[in-house]
Amino acid sequence: MRFLIVDDDESIILFLRTFLSAYAECLTAGDGLEALSAFEAALEEEKPFTAVFMDILMPGMDGNEVVQALRRMEDAANPRERFKLIMISVLTDTKNVSESFFHGRADAYLPKPLRREVLLSELAKLGLIDAPVLPH
């Protein structure tokens, strides 16, 4: 499995990479253009991403714009499986959440600050990892 983590906040990238590297190869991008380059390279190498973790608020292209471009690239490549999209954002308003699900075809929307147990629970629901065993 391969995950692409896109966020302009290094602490979020570090948090996600720390937990997710146990489950998949993790590549990161600090902005939309980096994300598009990484995604295109993955398609060309025929090693597409299983999941993309996308922040919304970023300089330049926002996360919703990046996702639209990723979905167009994916549609053109017509892979066997579509990537799972996990949006991560401080924005929890209806407009941004709706845009992520309806236009970006998001599979999950996680509010910041991210919590490890919520992240692992969502990944298990999406079938990306086995259900976490949480301490009692």
Side-chain angles (χ1 to χ4, degrees):
M1 271 198 299
R2 298 179 86 208
F3 293 164
L4 176 60
I5 302 165
V6 186
D7 203 306
D8 60 324
D9 183 335
E10 277 295 321
S11 66
I12 298 294
I13 285 179
L14 182 62
F15 172 85
L16 288 171
R17 184 188 286 160
T18 299
F19 290 110
L20 299 176
S21 61
Y23 305 101
E25 175 187 358
C26 294
L27 279 75
T28 62
D31 62 39
L33 293 177
E34 275 185 47
L36 295 175
S37 293
F39 194 84
E40 185 174 41
L43 289 175
E44 287 173 2
E45 294 166 11
E46 296 184 9
K47 293 196 222 162
F49 290 105
T50 313
V52 175
F53 296 79
M54 180 68 64
D55 183 24
I56 293 178
L57 292 175
M58 293 188 295
M61 297 175 80
D62 74 26
N64 288 318
E65 292 172 311
V66 176
V67 166
Q68 294 297 320
L70 295 181
R71 290 294 187 196
R72 284 192 298 274
M73 291 166 73
E74 181 181 61
D75 289 343
N78 197 24
R80 281 179 310 188
E81 287 194 38
R82 305 284 175 192
F83 69 87
K84 300 280 189 207
L85 175 61
I86 297 95
M87 299 300 287
I88 48 177
S89 184
V90 296
L91 301 174
T92 56
D93 60 282
T94 305
K95 177 187 176 293
N96 278 292
V97 175
S98 295
E99 185 170 342
S100 295
F101 280 107
F102 296 114
H103 298 292
R105 295 178 264 168
D107 296 284
Y109 196 101
L110 302 178
K112 290 181 182 177
L114 294 172
R115 292 185 21 243
R116 179 178 176 270
E117 56 278 357
V118 173
L119 173 65
L120 295 177
S121 173
E122 282 299 319
L123 294 179
K125 280 186 212 169
L126 295 174
L128 293 170
I129 65 171
D130 291 333
V133 177
L134 298 175
H136 297 296

Coordinates of all heavy atoms in Angstrom, one line a residue, residues 41-118:
A41 N 3.6 10.9 -11.0 CA 4.7 9.9 -11.0 C 4.3 8.5 -10.5 O 4.7 7.5 -11.1 CB 5.8 10.4 -10.1
A42 N 3.4 8.5 -9.5 CA 2.9 7.2 -9.0 C 2.1 6.5 -10.1 O 2.2 5.2 -10.3 CB 2.1 7.4 -7.8
L43 N 1.3 7.2 -10.9 CA 0.5 6.6 -12.0 C 1.5 6.1 -13.1 O 1.3 5.0 -13.6 CB -0.5 7.6 -12.5 CG -1.7 7.9 -11.6 CD1 -2.5 9.0 -12.3 CD2 -2.5 6.7 -11.3
E44 N 2.5 6.9 -13.4 CA 3.4 6.5 -14.5 C 4.2 5.3 -14.1 O 4.5 4.5 -15.0 CB 4.3 7.7 -14.8 CG 3.7 8.8 -15.6 CD 4.5 10.0 -15.7 OE1 5.7 10.0 -15.3 OE2 4.1 11.0 -16.3
E45 N 4.5 5.2 -12.8 CA 5.3 4.0 -12.3 C 4.4 2.8 -12.1 O 4.9 1.7 -11.7 CB 6.0 4.4 -11.0 CG 7.0 5.4 -11.1 CD 7.5 6.0 -9.7 OE1 7.1 5.4 -8.7 OE2 8.2 7.0 -9.7
E46 N 3.1 3.0 -12.3 CA 2.1 2.0 -12.1 C 2.1 1.5 -10.6 O 2.0 0.3 -10.3 CB 2.2 0.8 -13.1 CG 2.0 1.2 -14.5 CD 2.0 0.1 -15.5 OE1 2.1 -1.1 -15.1 OE2 2.0 0.4 -16.7
K47 N 2.4 2.5 -9.7 CA 2.3 2.2 -8.3 C 1.4 3.3 -7.7 O 1.9 4.2 -7.0 CB 3.7 2.3 -7.7 CG 4.7 1.3 -8.1 CD 5.8 1.3 -7.1 CE 7.2 1.2 -7.6 NZ 8.2 1.6 -6.7
P48 N 0.1 3.3 -8.0 CA -0.8 4.3 -7.6 C -1.0 4.3 -6.1 O -0.7 3.3 -5.4 CB -2.1 4.0 -8.3 CG -2.0 2.5 -8.6 CD -0.6 2.2 -8.8
F49 N -1.4 5.5 -5.5 CA -1.6 5.6 -4.1 C -2.9 4.9 -3.7 O -3.9 5.0 -4.4 CB -1.7 7.0 -3.7 CG -0.4 7.7 -3.8 CD1 -0.1 8.6 -4.8 CD2 0.6 7.4 -2.9 CE1 1.2 9.2 -4.9 CE2 1.9 8.0 -3.0 CZ 2.2 8.9 -4.0
T50 N -2.9 4.2 -2.6 CA -4.1 3.5 -2.1 C -5.0 4.6 -1.4 O -6.2 4.5 -1.5 CB -3.7 2.5 -1.0 OG1 -2.6 1.7 -1.6 CG2 -4.8 1.6 -0.6
A51 N -4.3 5.5 -0.8 CA -5.1 6.6 -0.1 C -4.3 7.9 -0.1 O -3.1 7.9 -0.2 CB -5.3 6.2 1.4
V52 N -5.1 9.0 -0.1 CA -4.6 10.3 -0.1 C -5.2 11.0 1.1 O -6.4 11.1 1.3 CB -4.9 11.1 -1.4 CG1 -4.4 12.6 -1.3 CG2 -4.3 10.4 -2.6
F53 N -4.3 11.6 1.9 CA -4.7 12.4 3.1 C -4.5 13.9 2.7 O -3.4 14.3 2.4 CB -3.9 12.1 4.3 CG -4.0 10.6 4.7 CD1 -3.4 9.6 4.0 CD2 -4.9 10.4 5.8 CE1 -3.6 8.3 4.4 CE2 -5.1 9.0 6.2 CZ -4.4 8.0 5.5
M54 N -5.6 14.7 2.5 CA -5.5 16.0 2.0 C -6.0 17.1 2.9 O -7.2 17.0 3.4 CB -6.4 16.0 0.7 CG -6.4 17.3 0.0 SD -4.8 17.8 -0.8 CE -4.7 16.5 -2.0
D55 N -5.2 18.1 3.1 CA -5.5 19.3 3.9 C -6.3 20.2 2.9 O -6.1 20.1 1.7 CB -4.3 19.9 4.4 CG -4.6 21.2 5.3 OD1 -5.7 21.3 5.8 OD2 -3.7 22.0 5.4
I56 N -7.2 21.0 3.4 CA -7.9 21.9 2.6 C -7.2 23.3 2.5 O -6.9 23.8 1.4 CB -9.4 22.2 3.0 CG1 -10.2 20.9 2.9 CG2 -10.0 23.3 2.2 CD1 -11.6 20.9 3.3
L57 N -6.8 23.8 3.6 CA -6.2 25.2 3.7 C -4.7 25.1 3.4 O -3.9 24.7 4.3 CB -6.4 25.8 5.0 CG -7.9 26.2 5.3 CD1 -7.9 26.8 6.7 CD2 -8.4 27.3 4.3
M58 N -4.3 25.4 2.1 CA -2.9 25.4 1.8 C -2.6 26.6 0.9 O -3.6 27.1 0.2 CB -2.5 24.1 1.0 CG -2.6 22.9 1.9 SD -2.0 21.4 1.0 CE -3.1 21.2 -0.3
P59 N -1.4 27.1 0.8 CA -1.1 28.2 -0.1 C -1.2 27.7 -1.5 O -1.0 26.5 -1.8 CB 0.4 28.5 0.3 CG 0.9 27.3 1.0 CD -0.3 26.6 1.6
G60 N -1.5 28.6 -2.4 CA -1.6 28.3 -3.8 C -3.0 27.6 -4.0 O -4.0 28.1 -3.7
M61 N -2.9 26.4 -4.5 CA -4.1 25.6 -4.7 C -4.6 25.1 -3.4 O -3.8 24.6 -2.6 CB -3.8 24.3 -5.6 CG -3.4 24.6 -7.0 SD -2.9 23.0 -7.8 CE -4.5 22.4 -8.3
D62 N -5.9 25.2 -3.1 CA -6.4 24.6 -1.9 C -6.7 23.1 -2.1 O -6.6 22.6 -3.2 CB -7.7 25.4 -1.3 CG -8.9 25.1 -2.1 OD1 -9.1 24.0 -2.7 OD2 -9.8 26.0 -2.0
G63 N -6.9 22.4 -1.0 CA -7.1 21.0 -1.1 C -8.2 20.5 -2.0 O -8.0 19.5 -2.7
N64 N -9.3 21.2 -2.0 CA -10.4 20.8 -2.9 C -10.0 20.9 -4.4 O -10.4 20.1 -5.2 CB -11.6 21.7 -2.6 CG -12.3 21.3 -1.3 OD1 -12.4 20.1 -1.0 ND2 -12.7 22.3 -0.5
E65 N -9.2 22.0 -4.7 CA -8.8 22.1 -6.1 C -7.8 21.0 -6.5 O -7.9 20.4 -7.6 CB -8.1 23.5 -6.3 CG -9.0 24.7 -6.2 CD -8.2 26.0 -6.2 OE1 -7.2 26.1 -5.4 OE2 -8.6 26.9 -7.0
V66 N -6.9 20.7 -5.5 CA -6.0 19.6 -5.8 C -6.7 18.3 -6.0 O -6.4 17.5 -6.9 CB -4.9 19.5 -4.6 CG1 -4.0 18.3 -4.8 CG2 -4.2 20.8 -4.4
V67 N -7.7 18.0 -5.2 CA -8.4 16.8 -5.3 C -9.1 16.7 -6.6 O -9.1 15.6 -7.3 CB -9.5 16.6 -4.1 CG1 -10.5 15.5 -4.4 CG2 -8.7 16.4 -2.8
Q68 N -9.7 17.8 -7.1 CA -10.3 17.8 -8.4 C -9.3 17.4 -9.5 O -9.6 16.5 -10.4 CB -10.9 19.1 -8.8 CG -12.1 19.6 -7.9 CD -13.3 18.6 -8.0 OE1 -13.7 18.2 -9.1 NE2 -13.9 18.3 -6.9
A69 N -8.1 17.9 -9.4 CA -7.1 17.6 -10.4 C -6.6 16.1 -10.3 O -6.4 15.4 -11.3 CB -5.9 18.5 -10.2
L70 N -6.5 15.6 -9.0 CA -6.1 14.2 -8.8 C -7.2 13.3 -9.4 O -6.8 12.3 -10.0 CB -5.9 13.9 -7.3 CG -4.8 14.7 -6.6 CD1 -4.7 14.2 -5.1 CD2 -3.5 14.4 -7.3
R71 N -8.4 13.6 -9.2 CA -9.5 12.8 -9.7 C -9.5 12.8 -11.2 O -9.8 11.7 -11.8 CB -10.9 13.2 -9.1 CG -11.1 12.9 -7.6 CD -11.1 11.5 -7.3 NE -11.5 11.2 -5.9 CZ -11.3 10.1 -5.3 NH1 -10.7 9.1 -5.9 NH2 -11.6 9.9 -4.0
R72 N -9.2 13.9 -11.8 CA -9.2 13.9 -13.3 C -8.0 13.1 -13.8 O -8.2 12.3 -14.8 CB -9.0 15.4 -13.8 CG -10.3 16.2 -13.7 CD -10.2 17.5 -14.5 NE -9.2 18.4 -14.0 CZ -9.4 19.3 -13.0 NH1 -10.6 19.4 -12.4 NH2 -8.4 20.1 -12.6
M73 N -6.9 13.2 -13.1 CA -5.7 12.3 -13.5 C -6.1 10.9 -13.3 O -5.7 10.0 -14.2 CB -4.5 12.7 -12.7 CG -3.9 14.1 -12.9 SD -2.8 14.6 -11.7 CE -1.4 13.6 -12.0
E74 N -6.7 10.5 -12.2 CA -7.1 9.2 -12.0 C -8.1 8.7 -13.0 O -7.9 7.5 -13.5 CB -7.7 9.1 -10.6 CG -8.1 7.7 -10.2 CD -8.7 7.6 -8.8 OE1 -9.8 8.3 -8.6 OE2 -8.2 6.9 -7.9
D75 N -9.1 9.5 -13.3 CA -10.1 9.1 -14.3 C -9.4 8.8 -15.7 O -9.8 7.9 -16.4 CB -11.1 10.2 -14.5 CG -12.1 10.3 -13.3 OD1 -12.1 9.3 -12.5 OD2 -12.8 11.3 -13.2
A76 N -8.4 9.6 -16.1 CA -7.7 9.5 -17.3 C -6.9 8.2 -17.3 O -6.8 7.5 -18.3 CB -6.8 10.7 -17.6
A77 N -6.3 7.8 -16.2 CA -5.5 6.6 -16.1 C -6.3 5.4 -15.9 O -5.9 4.3 -16.2 CB -4.5 6.7 -14.9
N78 N -7.6 5.5 -15.4 CA -8.5 4.4 -15.3 C -7.9 3.2 -14.5 O -7.9 2.1 -15.1 CB -9.1 4.0 -16.6 CG -10.4 3.2 -16.4 OD1 -11.0 3.3 -15.4 ND2 -10.7 2.4 -17.5
P79 N -7.4 3.4 -13.3 CA -6.8 2.3 -12.5 C -7.9 1.3 -12.1 O -9.1 1.6 -12.1 CB -6.2 3.0 -11.3 CG -7.1 4.2 -11.1 CD -7.5 4.6 -12.5
R80 N -7.4 0.1 -11.7 CA -8.4 -0.9 -11.2 C -9.1 -0.4 -10.0 O -10.3 -0.7 -9.8 CB -7.6 -2.2 -10.9 CG -7.3 -3.0 -12.1 CD -6.5 -4.2 -11.7 NE -5.5 -3.8 -10.8 CZ -4.5 -4.5 -10.3 NH1 -4.4 -5.7 -10.6 NH2 -3.6 -4.0 -9.5
E81 N -8.4 0.2 -9.1 CA -9.0 0.7 -7.9 C -8.8 2.2 -7.7 O -7.7 2.7 -8.0 CB -8.5 0.0 -6.7 CG -9.0 -1.4 -6.6 CD -8.7 -2.0 -5.2 OE1 -8.8 -1.3 -4.2 OE2 -8.3 -3.2 -5.2
R82 N -9.8 2.9 -7.3 CA -9.7 4.4 -7.0 C -9.1 4.6 -5.6 O -9.3 3.7 -4.7 CB -11.1 5.0 -7.0 CG -11.9 4.8 -8.2 CD -11.4 5.6 -9.3 NE -12.1 5.3 -10.6 CZ -11.7 5.8 -11.7 NH1 -10.6 6.6 -11.8 NH2 -12.3 5.5 -12.8
F83 N -8.3 5.7 -5.5 CA -7.7 5.9 -4.2 C -8.8 6.4 -3.2 O -9.8 7.0 -3.5 CB -6.6 7.0 -4.3 CG -7.0 8.4 -4.6 CD1 -7.4 9.3 -3.6 CD2 -7.0 8.8 -5.9 CE1 -7.8 10.6 -3.9 CE2 -7.4 10.2 -6.2 CZ -7.8 11.0 -5.2
K84 N -8.6 6.0 -1.9 CA -9.4 6.5 -0.8 C -9.0 7.9 -0.5 O -7.8 8.1 -0.4 CB -9.3 5.6 0.4 CG -9.7 4.1 0.2 CD -11.1 3.9 0.2 CE -11.4 2.4 0.2 NZ -12.7 2.1 -0.4
L85 N -9.9 8.8 -0.3 CA -9.6 10.2 0.0 C -10.0 10.5 1.4 O -11.2 10.3 1.8 CB -10.3 11.1 -1.0 CG -10.2 12.6 -0.7 CD1 -8.7 13.0 -0.7 CD2 -11.0 13.4 -1.7
I86 N -9.1 10.9 2.2 CA -9.3 11.3 3.6 C -9.0 12.8 3.7 O -7.8 13.1 3.6 CB -8.5 10.5 4.6 CG1 -8.9 9.0 4.5 CG2 -8.7 11.0 6.0 CD1 -8.0 8.2 3.7
M87 N -10.0 13.6 3.8 CA -9.8 15.0 4.0 C -9.4 15.3 5.4 O -10.1 14.7 6.3 CB -11.0 15.8 3.6 CG -11.4 15.6 2.1 SD -10.2 16.1 0.9 CE -10.2 17.9 1.0
I88 N -8.5 16.2 5.7 CA -8.1 16.6 7.0 C -8.1 18.1 7.1 O -7.5 18.8 6.2 CB -6.7 16.0 7.4 CG1 -5.7 16.3 6.3 CG2 -6.8 14.5 7.7 CD1 -4.3 15.8 6.7
S89 N -8.9 18.7 8.0 CA -9.0 20.1 8.0 C -9.5 20.7 9.3 O -10.2 20.0 10.0 CB -9.9 20.6 6.9 OG -9.9 22.0 6.8
V90 N -9.2 22.0 9.6 CA -9.8 22.7 10.7 C -11.2 23.2 10.3 O -12.0 23.5 11.1 CB -8.9 23.9 11.2 CG1 -7.6 23.4 11.7 CG2 -8.7 24.9 10.1
L91 N -11.4 23.2 9.0 CA -12.7 23.6 8.5 C -13.8 22.5 8.6 O -13.6 21.4 8.0 CB -12.6 24.0 7.0 CG -11.6 25.1 6.7 CD1 -11.5 25.3 5.1 CD2 -12.0 26.4 7.3
T92 N -14.8 22.8 9.4 CA -15.8 21.8 9.6 C -17.2 22.3 9.2 O -18.2 21.7 9.5 CB -15.9 21.3 11.1 OG1 -16.1 22.5 11.9 CG2 -14.6 20.6 11.4
D93 N -17.2 23.4 8.4 CA -18.5 24.0 7.9 C -19.1 23.1 6.8 O -18.4 22.3 6.2 CB -18.3 25.4 7.4 CG -17.3 25.4 6.3 OD1 -16.1 25.3 6.5 OD2 -17.7 25.5 5.1
T94 N -20.4 23.2 6.7 CA -21.1 22.4 5.7 C -20.6 22.5 4.3 O -20.5 21.5 3.6 CB -22.6 22.8 5.8 OG1 -23.1 22.6 7.1 CG2 -23.5 21.9 4.9
K95 N -20.3 23.7 3.9 CA -19.8 24.0 2.5 C -18.5 23.1 2.2 O -18.5 22.4 1.2 CB -19.5 25.4 2.3 CG -19.0 25.7 0.9 CD -18.5 27.2 0.8 CE -17.9 27.5 -0.5 NZ -16.6 26.9 -0.7
N96 N -17.5 23.2 3.1 CA -16.3 22.5 2.8 C -16.5 21.0 3.0 O -15.9 20.2 2.2 CB -15.2 23.0 3.8 CG -14.6 24.2 3.2 OD1 -13.9 24.2 2.2 ND2 -14.8 25.4 3.9
V97 N -17.2 20.5 3.9 CA -17.4 19.1 4.1 C -18.2 18.6 2.9 O -17.8 17.5 2.3 CB -18.2 18.8 5.4 CG1 -18.5 17.3 5.5 CG2 -17.3 19.2 6.6
S98 N -19.3 19.3 2.5 CA -20.1 18.8 1.3 C -19.2 18.8 0.1 O -19.3 17.8 -0.7 CB -21.2 19.8 1.1 OG -22.1 19.7 2.2
E99 N -18.4 19.8 -0.2 CA -17.6 19.9 -1.4 C -16.6 18.7 -1.4 O -16.4 18.1 -2.4 CB -16.8 21.2 -1.4 CG -16.0 21.3 -2.7 CD -15.4 22.7 -3.0 OE1 -15.9 23.7 -2.3 OE2 -14.5 22.8 -3.8
S100 N -16.1 18.3 -0.2 CA -15.2 17.2 -0.2 C -15.8 15.9 -0.5 O -15.3 15.1 -1.3 CB -14.6 17.1 1.2 OG -13.8 18.2 1.5
F101 N -17.0 15.7 0.0 CA -17.7 14.4 -0.3 C -18.3 14.4 -1.7 O -18.2 13.4 -2.4 CB -18.8 14.2 0.8 CG -18.2 13.6 2.0 CD1 -18.2 14.4 3.2 CD2 -17.8 12.3 2.1 CE1 -17.6 13.9 4.4 CE2 -17.2 11.8 3.3 CZ -17.2 12.6 4.4
F102 N -19.0 15.5 -2.1 CA -19.7 15.4 -3.4 C -18.9 15.7 -4.6 O -19.0 15.0 -5.6 CB -20.9 16.4 -3.3 CG -21.9 15.9 -2.3 CD1 -22.2 16.7 -1.2 CD2 -22.6 14.7 -2.4 CE1 -23.1 16.3 -0.2 CE2 -23.5 14.3 -1.5 CZ -23.8 15.1 -0.4
H103 N -17.9 16.6 -4.5 CA -17.1 16.9 -5.6 C -15.8 16.2 -5.6 O -15.3 15.8 -6.6 CB -16.8 18.4 -5.7 CG -18.1 19.2 -5.9 ND1 -18.8 19.2 -7.1 CD2 -18.7 20.1 -5.1 CE1 -19.9 20.0 -6.9 NE2 -19.9 20.5 -5.7
G104 N -15.2 16.0 -4.4 CA -13.9 15.3 -4.3 C -14.1 13.8 -4.1 O -13.1 13.1 -4.2
R105 N -15.3 13.3 -3.9 CA -15.6 11.9 -3.6 C -14.8 11.4 -2.4 O -14.1 10.3 -2.5 CB -15.3 11.0 -4.9 CG -16.2 11.3 -6.0 CD -15.9 10.5 -7.3 NE -15.1 11.3 -8.1 CZ -14.4 10.9 -9.2 NH1 -14.5 9.6 -9.5 NH2 -13.7 11.7 -9.9
A106 N -14.8 12.2 -1.4 CA -14.0 11.9 -0.2 C -14.7 10.6 0.5 O -15.9 10.5 0.4 CB -14.0 13.0 0.8
D107 N -13.8 9.9 1.1 CA -14.3 8.7 1.9 C -14.4 9.0 3.3 O -15.1 8.3 4.1 CB -13.3 7.5 1.6 CG -13.3 7.1 0.1 OD1 -14.3 6.4 -0.3 OD2 -12.4 7.5 -0.6
A108 N -13.7 10.0 3.8 CA -13.7 10.4 5.2 C -13.3 11.8 5.3 O -12.6 12.4 4.5 CB -12.7 9.5 6.0
Y109 N -13.7 12.4 6.4 CA -13.4 13.8 6.7 C -13.0 13.9 8.2 O -13.8 13.7 9.0 CB -14.6 14.7 6.4 CG -14.3 16.2 6.3 CD1 -14.2 16.8 5.0 CD2 -14.1 17.0 7.4 CE1 -13.9 18.1 4.9 CE2 -13.8 18.3 7.3 CZ -13.7 18.9 6.0 OH -13.5 20.3 5.9
L110 N -11.7 14.2 8.4 CA -11.2 14.2 9.8 C -10.9 15.6 10.2 O -10.1 16.3 9.6 CB -10.0 13.3 10.0 CG -10.1 11.9 9.6 CD1 -8.8 11.2 9.7 CD2 -11.2 11.2 10.4
P111 N -11.5 16.1 11.3 CA -11.2 17.5 11.8 C -9.9 17.5 12.5 O -9.5 16.6 13.2 CB -12.4 17.8 12.7 CG -12.8 16.4 13.2 CD -12.6 15.5 12.1
K112 N -9.2 18.6 12.3 CA -8.0 18.9 13.1 C -8.4 19.6 14.4 O -9.4 20.3 14.4 CB -7.0 19.8 12.3 CG -6.4 19.2 11.1 CD -5.5 20.2 10.5 CE -4.9 19.7 9.2 NZ -4.0 20.7 8.6
P113 N -7.7 19.4 15.5 CA -6.5 18.6 15.6 C -6.8 17.1 15.5 O -7.9 16.6 16.0 CB -6.0 18.9 17.0 CG -7.2 19.3 17.8 CD -8.1 20.0 16.8
L114 N -5.9 16.4 14.8 CA -6.1 15.0 14.6 C -5.9 14.2 15.8 O -5.0 14.5 16.6 CB -5.1 14.5 13.5 CG -5.4 15.0 12.1 CD1 -4.2 14.6 11.2 CD2 -6.7 14.6 11.5
R115 N -6.7 13.1 16.0 CA -6.5 12.3 17.2 C -6.2 10.9 16.6 O -6.9 10.4 15.7 CB -7.8 12.3 18.0 CG -7.9 13.6 18.7 CD -9.1 13.8 19.7 NE -9.5 12.6 20.3 CZ -10.8 12.1 20.1 NH1 -11.7 12.8 19.4 NH2 -11.2 11.0 20.7
R116 N -5.2 10.2 17.2 CA -4.7 8.9 16.8 C -5.9 7.9 16.7 O -6.0 7.2 15.7 CB -3.6 8.5 17.7 CG -3.1 7.1 17.4 CD -2.0 6.7 18.4 NE -1.5 5.4 18.1 CZ -2.0 4.3 18.7 NH1 -3.0 4.4 19.5 NH2 -1.5 3.1 18.4
E117 N -6.7 7.8 17.8 CA -7.7 6.8 17.8 C -8.8 7.0 16.7 O -9.3 6.1 16.1 CB -8.4 6.6 19.2 CG -8.9 7.9 19.8 CD -7.9 8.8 20.4 OE1 -6.7 8.5 20.5 OE2 -8.4 9.9 20.9
V118 N -9.1 8.3 16.4 CA -10.1 8.6 15.4 C -9.5 8.3 14.0 O -10.2 7.7 13.2 CB -10.5 10.1 15.4 CG1 -11.4 10.5 14.2 CG2 -11.2 10.4 16.7

